[in-house]
Structure formats: C-alpha cells, structure tokens
C-alpha cells in the first residue's frame, strides 16, 4: 500500500479531530454539551455498530479468532503487567498512580479512531472483530483490574493510617487541666477542641489501646466494600462492554433480531465514526496546554511506538503475518481518553500527565500510524 493511499485514510481522521478541537476551543461544546458527544459515542453509536458487525459475522470466522485474542491479550494485558511492575519497582510509584499510568501506556483509542481507519484497511465487518476483542479485554478485564488495584491501594492507605498509634489521653486530676484548653481534648465539654472520637482510646478503658482497629467492619466498612464493588462492575454495565458480548452470543447461537430493529440500530451505528472523532477533539480542547514532561512523553511513546512494535514482532514469531498486523494496528492508536477520565475520578495527581500524554500521542500518531500501516503491509 502506497503512502499516498495511507494518508488518504489517516489524514481525514486527524482533520475531524482538529475540527472537534476547534469547536471545543470555540465553546461550541462547552459544559454538558461536550459530555453529550461522549455519551452518544460510547453508549449508543459505537455499541450499536459493534453489535451489528459482530452479529452478522459468520460463526466459523468468530471461532477462528483464537490467535488474535491471544495476541491482543499478550499486547494489552502482558505489557500492562510489565509496565506496572517497572513503575512499582524502579519508579517507586504508589500502587494507585502506577496502575493508572500503566493503563494510559497500553490503552489505545481503538474505539474512537479504529472504526474509520481499520474499516478502510480491512473492511467494516472484518475490522469490527479486533475492535470488539480489544473492547472485551479492556472493558471486561483491564479496566476493572485497574480499579481493583486502585481500591487495594486506598485500603492500604486506610490500614496504614489506622495502624499509626494515637496519643493516649490520661485523665486529668482537678487543677491539672492544660492552660490551653477549657476542658480535656475530646471531653465534649464546653470549650473543647474536637468531638469525643478524636481523643483516641477511652482513657477509662485500660484495654482500649490493645483492641485492634478494624476499619472493614460495621456499617462504614460494609459501605466501603459496596462502593468498591460498584466501581469494579461499573465498566461491565456500559453498552460498549456488553453490546459486543451480546453480538457474539447472537452470532454463535444464530439469532437475529427483527429486520426493523436491525435497521434502527444501523441508523444509530452510522454516527459512530464521525461523532467519536469529534468527541476526541472536544476532549483535547478541555485539557488545555499539555505538560511537556518526560513522563508524558514516555507514556505517549509507549502507546504509539513500543506497544505496536512489540506486538507486531511477537506476533510474527507466534502467529501469521495477518494476525500480527491486525493486533499491532489495534494497539497503534494514540492514548485513549478513558485513563484520563479515570485519573480525574480516582488518581487526581496523574490527571494532567495522562491528559498531556493523550495530546502528545495524537501529534506523534500523525507520523507513527502511517509508518505502522506501511510496516505491516
């Protein structure tokens, strides 16, 4: 495939992203309007498009995708584990920060850009299969695993905080009350400096200091466990996670919805490509000026260079050239905005670095993506 043909496929994608960026900077999608684009893309258009594409794929084609599943699992999950280990052991990052940075390094924008570019390269029906496989691995396995790691780190922080010994407040004899307080701290009397529970173990209970602190028991602990469980299963409740699975079940069983329903979903799915790319541009406009740090460049280069090249090289050794090419191109896209959204909710300290990596990777991908397409032939 010539470079001129490759650029006719790639350049329009970046032009639509630039259009979305300009619209975002011009406040055309300010406030909740920008979020509406993402909702339309991820909850309606892309799920409908993937569901129909997979459902209409012959069963024998789906059953023959074992090598592709293995390569994408190796590329996405295997490299994630290696990066996480390196950030923990060499970078000495806390678990929550390491988990979210490693996710940004391996989660590409296959959902936003893949439908258009891979559709032009392989055909819409063929391209839907690797996109759906990547979606299942990311939404059903990788993202929930990251949320579990973040929750584990939060639990470790609470345990460490609980393990810090609290000062024991002795009962004061009359006339020995400190001059800085009108009553002993935590006494609850007028002039006290805090509620009773900040004084530590009850001074009247000699065994209170030896009683183990159990933050995971009682109503508060049950509520925390429930909140953690909800965060883990939340990605599985989104249409982008379960719609491809439902399409796979329909294809394997041989079920087809009524023609009227299929036609309606087709109309919704046709909006997937353009709206997805516009939403990427609008998201970038919200980020503002990127942080040109070594960490942001490292995440971007890992996403658009290290991940696709390593996946392609290992794929050539273990599978066919076609499978290696499909797996490499799925992971060759820029950093997904999803890790940035997760960072804004759970690991605020890494939000700006990941947002900057998204912008840097998109600029780099204008060069690396055509080169990767040419390399994989």
């Amino acid at each position: 495939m010539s470079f001129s043909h490759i650029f006719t496929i790639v350049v329009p994608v970046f032009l639509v992203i630039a259009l979305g960026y300009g619209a975002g900077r011009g406040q055309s999608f300010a406030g909740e309007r920008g979020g509406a684009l993402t909702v339309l893309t991820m909850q309606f258009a892309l799920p409908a498009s993937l569901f129909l594409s997979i459902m209409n794929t012959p069963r024998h084609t789906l059953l023959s995708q074992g090598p592709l599943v293995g390569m994408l699992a190796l590329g996405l999950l295997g490299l994630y584990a290696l990066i996480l280990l390196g950030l923990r052991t060499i970078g000495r990052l806390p678990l929550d920060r390491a988990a979210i940075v490693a996710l940004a390094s391996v989660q590409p924008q296959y959902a936003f850009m893949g439908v258009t570019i891979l559709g032009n390269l392989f055909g819409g029906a063929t391209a839907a299969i690797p996109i759906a496989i990547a979606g299942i691995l990311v939404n059903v396995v990788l993202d929930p695993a990251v949320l579990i790691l973040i929750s584990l780190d939060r639990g470790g922080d609470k345990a460490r905080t609980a393990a810090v010994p609290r000062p024991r407040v002795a009962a004061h004899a009359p006339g020995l009350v400190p001059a800085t307080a009108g009553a002993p701290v935590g006494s609850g009397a007028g002039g006290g400096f805090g509620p009773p529970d900040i004084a530590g173990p009850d001074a009247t209970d000699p065994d209170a200091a030896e009683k183990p602190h159990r933050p995971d028991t009682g109503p508060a602990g049950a509520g925390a466990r429930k909140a953690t469980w909800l965060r883990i299963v939340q990605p599985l409740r989104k249409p982008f996670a379960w719609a491809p699975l439902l399409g796979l079940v329909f294809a394997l069983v041989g079920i087809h919805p009524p023609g009227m329903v299929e036609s309606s979903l087709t109309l919704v799915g046709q909006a997937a490509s353009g709206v997805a790319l516009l939403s990427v541009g609008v998201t970038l406009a919200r980020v503002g000026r990127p942080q040109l740090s070594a960490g942001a460049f490292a995440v971007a280069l890992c996403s658009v260079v290290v991940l696709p090249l390593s996946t392609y090289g290992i794929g050539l050794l273990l599978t066919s050239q076609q499978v290696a090419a499909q797996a490499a191109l799925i992971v060759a896209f820029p950093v997904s905005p999803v890790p940035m959204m997760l960072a804004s909710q759970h690991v605020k300290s890494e939000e700006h670095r990941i947002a900057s990596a998204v912008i840097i990777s998109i600029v780099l991908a204008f060069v690396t993506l055509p080169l990767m397409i040419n390399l994989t032939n």
Side-chain angles (χ1 to χ4, degrees):
M1 184 180 293
S2 65
F3 263 105
S4 61
H5 188 196
I6 292 173
F7 272 98
T8 59
I9 295 174
V10 173
V11 171
V13 170
F14 287 91
L15 289 178
V16 176
I17 292 176
L19 177 63
Y21 181 83
R25 296 290 291 177
Q27 302 299 312
S28 297
F29 292 96
E32 296 181 354
R33 285 178 289 181
L37 276 180
T38 304
V39 172
L40 175 60
T41 300
M42 300 302 292
Q43 297 194 26
F44 294 94
L46 274 176
S49 176
L50 293 177
F51 170 77
L52 291 175
S53 298
I54 297 173
M55 183 193 67
N56 291 319
T57 303
R59 179 164 52 186
H60 69 274
T61 303
L62 294 173
L63 293 176
S64 65
Q65 298 303 314
L68 181 58
V69 174
M71 281 309 307
L72 285 175
L74 186 63
L76 294 170
L77 307 181
L79 189 58
Y80 174 82
L82 288 177
I83 295 175
L84 178 65
L85 181 63
L87 291 173
R88 290 285 288 157
T89 57
I90 301 175
R92 301 293 183 182
L93 285 182
L95 182 58
D96 57 344
R97 293 177 59 192
I100 201 70
V101 171
L103 179 66
S105 303
V106 303
Q107 183 165 341
Q109 293 188 25
Y110 60 88
F112 297 94
M113 301 174 67
V115 173
T116 300
I117 293 179
L118 297 183
N120 285 320
L121 290 176
F122 303 124
T126 304
I129 297 175
I131 292 174
I133 293 173
I136 292 170
L137 289 172
V138 169
N139 291 283
V140 178
V141 180
L142 187 56
D143 284 349
V146 171
L147 291 175
I148 291 174
L149 292 175
I150 293 174
S151 299
L152 287 175
D153 190 70
R154 294 290 185 266
D157 288 343
K158 291 179 181 178
R160 287 189 294 272
T161 301
V164 176
R166 298 181 180 183
R168 186 165 180 169
V169 180
H172 293 283
L176 297 181
V177 179
T180 55
V185 176
S187 67
F193 287 89
D197 59 344
I198 67 170
D202 189 352
T204 62
D205 183 0
D207 298 325
E210 285 73 30
K211 291 180 180 178
H213 181 68
R214 297 292 301 276
D216 58 341
T217 59
R225 289 195 300 272
K226 182 178 180 181
T228 300
W229 174 249
L230 289 177
R231 285 199 300 269
I232 294 170
V233 302
Q234 186 66 28
L236 310 182
R237 300 169 59 183
K238 297 179 180 179
F240 188 74
W242 56 258
L245 287 174
L246 186 62
L248 178 63
V249 172
F250 276 35
L252 294 178
V253 178
I255 300 175
H256 279 268
M260 189 177 299
V261 174
E262 188 168 349
S263 298
S264 300
L265 292 176
T266 301
L267 291 175
V268 176
Q270 287 173 347
S273 300
V275 175
L277 297 174
L278 277 174
S279 68
V280 172
V282 172
T283 301
L284 295 182
R286 290 178 171 180
V287 171
R289 180 171 303 192
Q291 181 186 56
L292 302 180
S293 64
F297 272 101
V299 172
L301 287 172
C302 184
S303 176
V304 300
V305 177
V306 176
L307 180 58
L309 285 179
S310 60
T311 301
Y312 186 59
I314 296 173
L316 290 177
L317 293 175
L318 301 180
T319 62
S320 66
Q321 195 275 340
Q322 180 182 2
V323 171
Q326 286 184 332
L329 290 178
I330 275 287
V331 299
F333 295 110
V335 178
S336 170
V338 174
M340 178 183 68
M341 299 173 189
L342 292 178
S344 68
Q345 296 174 1
H346 305 291
V347 193
K348 201 73 175 177
S349 59
E350 291 295 338
E351 181 184 13
H352 197 197
R353 172 157 55 179
I354 295 175
S356 302
V358 173
I359 297 177
I360 295 170
S361 66
I362 287 180
V363 175
L364 294 176
F366 188 78
V367 176
T368 61
L369 192 54
L371 291 175
M372 197 67 204
I373 293 173
N374 185 66
L375 174 66
T376 57
N377 196 23

